[in-house]
Amino acid sequence: MVGKTVIETSGAVKGKVRDIIFDLGGGVTFLVQGTDGKDSQIPLSKVTGISEHVIVKGETAIEQGASGYGTTCKFCGAPKPAEERWCPSCGRSQT
Ligand SMILES: [Zn+2]
């Protein structure tokens, strides 16, 4: 299993299986080395099939929004965290 290519159902290559983690609760998690070199963990529940490749549900963005920028300032257009009431760039109130 280790070394198999991981492909999303959308057809996008996600990376390669680097290790498989078995936890005490009986859960299985695939440790996948992404094409960008970063590891990510994919629970077995997201795996839809294993043949020549490991097929996972296409949902790249489990941690999307990690950048913290959910919106933009309505005055200057600078990226701004959605929960932030004041623009970090121009300082104007967003309410
Ligand atoms: Zn602004």
Side-chain angles (χ1 to χ4, degrees), residues 9-29:
T9 47
S10 63
V13 175
K14 217 168 154 49
K16 275 192 181 342
V17 177
R18 206 159 72 74
D19 205 353
I20 297 170
I21 302 162
F22 299 92
D23 69 37
L24 294 174
V28 179
T29 303

PDB file of all heavy atoms in Angstrom, residues 9-29:
ATOM      1  N   THR A   9     -11.279  11.651  -6.646  1.00  0.00           N
ATOM      2  CA  THR A   9     -12.290  11.214  -7.607  1.00  0.00           C
ATOM      3  C   THR A   9     -12.395  12.186  -8.772  1.00  0.00           C
ATOM      4  O   THR A   9     -12.845  11.829  -9.855  1.00  0.00           O
ATOM      5  CB  THR A   9     -13.659  11.074  -6.917  1.00  0.00           C
ATOM      6  OG1 THR A   9     -13.902  12.234  -6.137  1.00  0.00           O
ATOM      7  CG2 THR A   9     -13.695   9.856  -6.013  1.00  0.00           C
ATOM      8  N   SER A  10     -11.972  13.432  -8.543  1.00  0.00           N
ATOM      9  CA  SER A  10     -11.989  14.421  -9.616  1.00  0.00           C
ATOM     10  C   SER A  10     -10.883  14.169 -10.632  1.00  0.00           C
ATOM     11  O   SER A  10     -10.881  14.739 -11.709  1.00  0.00           O
ATOM     12  CB  SER A  10     -11.823  15.819  -9.033  1.00  0.00           C
ATOM     13  OG  SER A  10     -10.550  15.915  -8.396  1.00  0.00           O
ATOM     14  N   GLY A  11      -9.939  13.299 -10.276  1.00  0.00           N
ATOM     15  CA  GLY A  11      -8.847  12.988 -11.180  1.00  0.00           C
ATOM     16  C   GLY A  11      -7.539  13.658 -10.795  1.00  0.00           C
ATOM     17  O   GLY A  11      -6.496  13.364 -11.360  1.00  0.00           O
ATOM     18  N   ALA A  12      -7.616  14.553  -9.821  1.00  0.00           N
ATOM     19  CA  ALA A  12      -6.402  15.255  -9.401  1.00  0.00           C
ATOM     20  C   ALA A  12      -5.511  14.330  -8.581  1.00  0.00           C
ATOM     21  O   ALA A  12      -5.989  13.601  -7.723  1.00  0.00           O
ATOM     22  CB  ALA A  12      -6.782  16.480  -8.575  1.00  0.00           C
ATOM     23  N   VAL A  13      -4.228  14.370  -8.858  1.00  0.00           N
ATOM     24  CA  VAL A  13      -3.280  13.572  -8.085  1.00  0.00           C
ATOM     25  C   VAL A  13      -2.996  14.295  -6.776  1.00  0.00           C
ATOM     26  O   VAL A  13      -2.624  15.464  -6.756  1.00  0.00           O
ATOM     27  CB  VAL A  13      -1.970  13.363  -8.876  1.00  0.00           C
ATOM     28  CG1 VAL A  13      -0.948  12.633  -8.002  1.00  0.00           C
ATOM     29  CG2 VAL A  13      -2.236  12.588 -10.142  1.00  0.00           C
ATOM     30  N   LYS A  14      -3.213  13.587  -5.689  1.00  0.00           N
ATOM     31  CA  LYS A  14      -3.038  14.205  -4.385  1.00  0.00           C
ATOM     32  C   LYS A  14      -1.642  13.962  -3.823  1.00  0.00           C
ATOM     33  O   LYS A  14      -1.115  14.789  -3.101  1.00  0.00           O
ATOM     34  CB  LYS A  14      -4.076  13.618  -3.419  1.00  0.00           C
ATOM     35  CG  LYS A  14      -4.599  14.633  -2.455  1.00  0.00           C
ATOM     36  CD  LYS A  14      -5.808  14.131  -1.719  1.00  0.00           C
ATOM     37  CE  LYS A  14      -5.927  14.828  -0.378  1.00  0.00           C
ATOM     38  NZ  LYS A  14      -5.807  16.289  -0.499  1.00  0.00           N
ATOM     39  N   GLY A  15      -1.056  12.852  -4.167  1.00  0.00           N
ATOM     40  CA  GLY A  15       0.289  12.547  -3.673  1.00  0.00           C
ATOM     41  C   GLY A  15       0.507  11.054  -3.605  1.00  0.00           C
ATOM     42  O   GLY A  15      -0.102  10.297  -4.346  1.00  0.00           O
ATOM     43  N   LYS A  16       1.380  10.664  -2.702  1.00  0.00           N
ATOM     44  CA  LYS A  16       1.702   9.244  -2.532  1.00  0.00           C
ATOM     45  C   LYS A  16       1.512   8.842  -1.081  1.00  0.00           C
ATOM     46  O   LYS A  16       1.775   9.620  -0.169  1.00  0.00           O
ATOM     47  CB  LYS A  16       3.167   9.008  -2.916  1.00  0.00           C
ATOM     48  CG  LYS A  16       3.388   8.795  -4.400  1.00  0.00           C
ATOM     49  CD  LYS A  16       4.790   8.281  -4.600  1.00  0.00           C
ATOM     50  CE  LYS A  16       5.197   8.040  -6.039  1.00  0.00           C
ATOM     51  NZ  LYS A  16       4.198   7.922  -7.052  1.00  0.00           N
ATOM     52  N   VAL A  17       1.087   7.612  -0.883  1.00  0.00           N
ATOM     53  CA  VAL A  17       0.936   7.104   0.478  1.00  0.00           C
ATOM     54  C   VAL A  17       2.333   6.933   1.075  1.00  0.00           C
ATOM     55  O   VAL A  17       3.187   6.261   0.505  1.00  0.00           O
ATOM     56  CB  VAL A  17       0.199   5.750   0.499  1.00  0.00           C
ATOM     57  CG1 VAL A  17       0.125   5.211   1.926  1.00  0.00           C
ATOM     58  CG2 VAL A  17      -1.194   5.891  -0.093  1.00  0.00           C
ATOM     59  N   ARG A  18       2.550   7.589   2.198  1.00  0.00           N
ATOM     60  CA  ARG A  18       3.856   7.522   2.838  1.00  0.00           C
ATOM     61  C   ARG A  18       3.833   6.545   4.005  1.00  0.00           C
ATOM     62  O   ARG A  18       4.824   5.891   4.302  1.00  0.00           O
ATOM     63  CB  ARG A  18       4.247   8.916   3.347  1.00  0.00           C
ATOM     64  CG  ARG A  18       5.732   9.127   3.445  1.00  0.00           C
ATOM     65  CD  ARG A  18       6.072  10.588   3.434  1.00  0.00           C
ATOM     66  NE  ARG A  18       5.709  11.269   4.658  1.00  0.00           N
ATOM     67  CZ  ARG A  18       6.379  11.136   5.813  1.00  0.00           C
ATOM     68  NH1 ARG A  18       7.417  10.338   5.872  1.00  0.00           N
ATOM     69  NH2 ARG A  18       6.018  11.792   6.872  1.00  0.00           N
ATOM     70  N   ASP A  19       2.674   6.477   4.660  1.00  0.00           N
ATOM     71  CA  ASP A  19       2.562   5.565   5.797  1.00  0.00           C
ATOM     72  C   ASP A  19       1.080   5.343   6.069  1.00  0.00           C
ATOM     73  O   ASP A  19       0.229   6.090   5.578  1.00  0.00           O
ATOM     74  CB  ASP A  19       3.240   6.170   7.026  1.00  0.00           C
ATOM     75  CG  ASP A  19       3.693   5.089   8.020  1.00  0.00           C
ATOM     76  OD1 ASP A  19       3.367   3.912   7.805  1.00  0.00           O
ATOM     77  OD2 ASP A  19       4.371   5.448   8.978  1.00  0.00           O
ATOM     78  N   ILE A  20       0.790   4.334   6.838  1.00  0.00           N
ATOM     79  CA  ILE A  20      -0.585   4.080   7.241  1.00  0.00           C
ATOM     80  C   ILE A  20      -0.608   4.022   8.755  1.00  0.00           C
ATOM     81  O   ILE A  20       0.214   3.338   9.373  1.00  0.00           O
ATOM     82  CB  ILE A  20      -1.115   2.771   6.631  1.00  0.00           C
ATOM     83  CG1 ILE A  20      -1.134   2.900   5.105  1.00  0.00           C
ATOM     84  CG2 ILE A  20      -2.518   2.467   7.151  1.00  0.00           C
ATOM     85  CD1 ILE A  20      -1.403   1.598   4.405  1.00  0.00           C
ATOM     86  N   ILE A  21      -1.511   4.805   9.337  1.00  0.00           N
ATOM     87  CA  ILE A  21      -1.571   4.918  10.799  1.00  0.00           C
ATOM     88  C   ILE A  21      -2.799   4.156  11.289  1.00  0.00           C
ATOM     89  O   ILE A  21      -3.912   4.399  10.826  1.00  0.00           O
ATOM     90  CB  ILE A  21      -1.690   6.406  11.205  1.00  0.00           C
ATOM     91  CG1 ILE A  21      -0.501   7.195  10.639  1.00  0.00           C
ATOM     92  CG2 ILE A  21      -1.766   6.529  12.720  1.00  0.00           C
ATOM     93  CD1 ILE A  21      -0.739   8.688  10.613  1.00  0.00           C
ATOM     94  N   PHE A  22      -2.569   3.248  12.214  1.00  0.00           N
ATOM     95  CA  PHE A  22      -3.675   2.527  12.850  1.00  0.00           C
ATOM     96  C   PHE A  22      -3.800   3.048  14.267  1.00  0.00           C
ATOM     97  O   PHE A  22      -2.843   2.963  15.038  1.00  0.00           O
ATOM     98  CB  PHE A  22      -3.392   1.024  12.889  1.00  0.00           C
ATOM     99  CG  PHE A  22      -3.232   0.410  11.526  1.00  0.00           C
ATOM    100  CD1 PHE A  22      -1.978   0.310  10.946  1.00  0.00           C
ATOM    101  CD2 PHE A  22      -4.333  -0.054  10.828  1.00  0.00           C
ATOM    102  CE1 PHE A  22      -1.816  -0.252   9.687  1.00  0.00           C
ATOM    103  CE2 PHE A  22      -4.173  -0.620   9.566  1.00  0.00           C
ATOM    104  CZ  PHE A  22      -2.921  -0.709   8.997  1.00  0.00           C
ATOM    105  N   ASP A  23      -4.953   3.612  14.607  1.00  0.00           N
ATOM    106  CA  ASP A  23      -5.078   4.053  15.994  1.00  0.00           C
ATOM    107  C   ASP A  23      -5.777   2.988  16.823  1.00  0.00           C
ATOM    108  O   ASP A  23      -6.332   2.024  16.307  1.00  0.00           O
ATOM    109  CB  ASP A  23      -5.744   5.428  16.099  1.00  0.00           C
ATOM    110  CG  ASP A  23      -7.207   5.411  15.726  1.00  0.00           C
ATOM    111  OD1 ASP A  23      -7.906   4.428  16.043  1.00  0.00           O
ATOM    112  OD2 ASP A  23      -7.666   6.385  15.115  1.00  0.00           O
ATOM    113  N   LEU A  24      -5.720   3.180  18.133  1.00  0.00           N
ATOM    114  CA  LEU A  24      -6.217   2.154  19.050  1.00  0.00           C
ATOM    115  C   LEU A  24      -7.719   1.946  18.939  1.00  0.00           C
ATOM    116  O   LEU A  24      -8.248   0.907  19.294  1.00  0.00           O
ATOM    117  CB  LEU A  24      -5.853   2.522  20.492  1.00  0.00           C
ATOM    118  CG  LEU A  24      -4.348   2.516  20.778  1.00  0.00           C
ATOM    119  CD1 LEU A  24      -4.073   3.032  22.183  1.00  0.00           C
ATOM    120  CD2 LEU A  24      -3.775   1.111  20.623  1.00  0.00           C
ATOM    121  N   GLY A  25      -8.416   2.960  18.441  1.00  0.00           N
ATOM    122  CA  GLY A  25      -9.858   2.837  18.285  1.00  0.00           C
ATOM    123  C   GLY A  25     -10.258   2.069  17.044  1.00  0.00           C
ATOM    124  O   GLY A  25     -11.438   1.960  16.736  1.00  0.00           O
ATOM    125  N   GLY A  26      -9.306   1.576  16.313  1.00  0.00           N
ATOM    126  CA  GLY A  26      -9.611   0.816  15.112  1.00  0.00           C
ATOM    127  C   GLY A  26      -9.636   1.665  13.854  1.00  0.00           C
ATOM    128  O   GLY A  26      -9.922   1.180  12.776  1.00  0.00           O
ATOM    129  N   GLY A  27      -9.359   2.946  14.029  1.00  0.00           N
ATOM    130  CA  GLY A  27      -9.350   3.841  12.870  1.00  0.00           C
ATOM    131  C   GLY A  27      -8.091   3.679  12.042  1.00  0.00           C
ATOM    132  O   GLY A  27      -7.049   3.286  12.560  1.00  0.00           O
ATOM    133  N   VAL A  28      -8.240   3.936  10.765  1.00  0.00           N
ATOM    134  CA  VAL A  28      -7.102   3.860   9.861  1.00  0.00           C
ATOM    135  C   VAL A  28      -6.980   5.196   9.140  1.00  0.00           C
ATOM    136  O   VAL A  28      -7.954   5.722   8.628  1.00  0.00           O
ATOM    137  CB  VAL A  28      -7.280   2.723   8.833  1.00  0.00           C
ATOM    138  CG1 VAL A  28      -6.089   2.671   7.884  1.00  0.00           C
ATOM    139  CG2 VAL A  28      -7.467   1.386   9.537  1.00  0.00           C
ATOM    140  N   THR A  29      -5.782   5.728   9.157  1.00  0.00           N
ATOM    141  CA  THR A  29      -5.534   7.001   8.496  1.00  0.00           C
ATOM    142  C   THR A  29      -4.350   6.844   7.550  1.00  0.00           C
ATOM    143  O   THR A  29      -3.347   6.234   7.897  1.00  0.00           O
ATOM    144  CB  THR A  29      -5.225   8.095   9.546  1.00  0.00           C
ATOM    145  OG1 THR A  29      -6.308   8.181  10.465  1.00  0.00           O
ATOM    146  CG2 THR A  29      -5.026   9.439   8.870  1.00  0.00           C
TER     147      THR A  29
END
